[in-house]
Amino acid sequence: MVVCSTLISIGSIKGYNIMAISMVFVFFAVYLVGPGPLPWVIPGEMTPIYAVSAIIAVSGSIAYTLVFTIGMVFSPLLDALKGYTFLIFAATNLVAAVTFFFLLPETKDRRVSDMIRTHSVGVHNIMQRKYRTDVLAGKGKEIEEDSI
């Protein structure tokens, strides 16, 4: 995606319109099979069953808010920076790729409970205590360790 954004910028600046337009299509195709679905895929692999729907709702809302923001900011940026606008997207994609590579854990052959124990940041601990308290008080049904 970094390469596509850079080539879009070069095509826009140098007047290679066919290259710029074709790179827009390639960028979109790469986005749809690459980082595009991440807000909907990652929560299912890294959060407990009881929190998946809420996390997906939040991550989807953030994703669509960012898409809306890009749509609103793009035109003024294009007017101000001309073809160099796409270099901002190239830099953003590069930062995102490096961040995903180093901070996103591998989930292959790992249970959700292992992911929570390894990467929990507090919310899971709070929710887990709530559910365990309900179970102990007889207010809820028992939750298996694998579903947490």
Side-chain angles (χ1 to χ4, degrees):
M1 290 179 54
V2 174
V3 172
C4 290
S5 296
T6 305
L7 291 176
I8 291 169
S9 186
I10 291 170
S12 298
I13 294 166
K14 299 284 186 180
Y16 305 140
N17 295 334
I18 299 209
M19 181 176 78
I21 292 170
S22 63
M23 285 300 110
V24 168
F25 287 111
V26 172
F27 180 93
F28 190 64
V30 170
Y31 173 79
L32 288 178
V33 297
L38 287 181
W40 291 270
V41 174
I42 290 175
E45 295 195 7
M46 295 185 62
T47 56
I49 302 289
Y50 62 82
V52 170
S53 59
I55 299 290
I56 288 176
V58 170
S59 65
S61 297
I62 290 170
Y64 282 124
T65 300
L66 292 174
V67 167
F68 175 77
T69 303
I70 289 170
M72 296 304 292
V73 171
F74 179 75
S75 186
L77 274 176
L78 189 61
D79 290 342
L81 300 175
K82 305 293 182 227
Y84 295 100
T85 303
F86 297 101
L87 294 177
I88 294 172
F89 295 110
T92 305
N93 286 321
L94 182 63
V95 168
V98 169
T99 302
F100 291 160
F101 182 77
F102 287 109
L103 296 180
L104 203 60
E106 177 61 52
T107 59
K108 183 179 180 182
D109 297 330
R110 295 182 72 186
R111 298 183 326 198
V112 173
S113 58
D114 295 337
M115 296 300 295
I116 292 168
R117 272 189 221 101
T118 306
H119 303 286
S120 185
V121 291
V123 173
H124 302 297
N125 293 331
I126 293 167
M127 293 302 291
Q128 189 174 8
R129 283 191 199 109
K130 175 190 176 292
Y131 277 89
R132 295 210 179 203
T133 304
D134 287 350
V135 169
L136 292 175
K139 295 179 183 176
K141 55 185 174 178
E142 250 181 79
I143 299 174
E144 294 178 24
E145 183 67 27
D146 289 340
S147 68
I148 296 180

